[in-house]
Amino acid sequence: MSVITTSAVNPVLRVAPAAPAEAAAYFRAGLAFHADVSDVAAALAADGDPGFAVLDSRSTESWDQGHIPGAVHLPTALIPEQAERLLDKSVPVVTYCWGPGCNGATRAALALAELGFRVKEMLGGFEYWAREGFPYETREGEARREADPLTAPVEAEDCGC
């Protein structure tokens, strides 16, 4: 076992990694707040009720360009006035927006949590949904892109995560 000293100049190890128990608590907490695109897709594709609702927090124009089949469209600004009419508080909600460069899903998740909903954010958003080759709906109908081999290797069943 190697020991990390405070004199290490490596920028990765300048601040030592957390103790294993602290790291486990941190990563366990992260999984309570986030869902992976592939996991959401697998749950939605399985027979039966996935046990959660999917919420697209983007604008109507973005929704029309493409959204996850079965998702509820509710822009973040409208959550306080419409969420309780459109969603069941007993069902967890998975929020998404455009992608990693957008915090709309985070803001939507916060708004829902403040109203008493159990919520997770889908990491990668609609961008990674489409990049991984999952089907989506547009104003014109169903669509699907070829999977990006950098996000969804062709030969792999899943990312191995």
Side-chain angles (χ1 to χ4, degrees):
M1 177 161 101
S2 64
V3 176
I4 299 171
T5 66
T6 56
S7 63
V9 292
N10 179 327
V12 172
L13 299 176
R14 191 168 292 138
V15 174
E22 291 175 36
Y26 172 84
F27 294 117
R28 185 176 298 107
L31 292 173
F33 299 109
H34 299 111
D36 177 82
V37 166
S38 295
D39 290 343
V40 171
L44 293 175
D47 291 335
D49 180 0
F52 59 88
V54 178
L55 184 137
D56 185 318
S57 65
R58 301 172 302 146
S59 68
T60 299
E61 295 79 15
S62 298
W63 168 267
D64 287 345
Q65 286 181 333
H67 57 271
I68 295 173
V72 172
H73 181 228
L74 183 56
T76 302
L78 300 177
I79 288 174
E81 64 188 60
Q82 295 183 15
E84 293 187 31
R85 182 173 51 81
L86 296 174
L87 300 166
D88 180 346
K89 278 192 176 177
S90 70
V91 177
V93 179
V94 175
T95 64
Y96 74 90
C97 61
W98 268 116
C102 172
N103 68 359
T106 304
R107 286 185 276 119
L110 173 60
L112 289 166
E114 288 175 339
L115 291 172
F117 287 87
R118 293 177 299 145
V119 64
K120 287 188 173 198
E121 178 182 5
M122 185 178 78
L123 297 176
F126 182 74
E127 176 188 350
Y128 277 74
W129 183 273
R131 286 182 72 183
E132 290 191 25
F134 298 120
Y136 56 92
E137 297 174 345
T138 72
R139 169 184 18 210
E140 288 81 29
E142 294 182 11
R144 186 180 208 143
R145 294 182 178 184
E146 286 285 326
D148 179 338
L150 294 176
T151 62
V154 177
E155 298 299 317
E157 287 283 321
D158 61 34
C159 69
C161 300

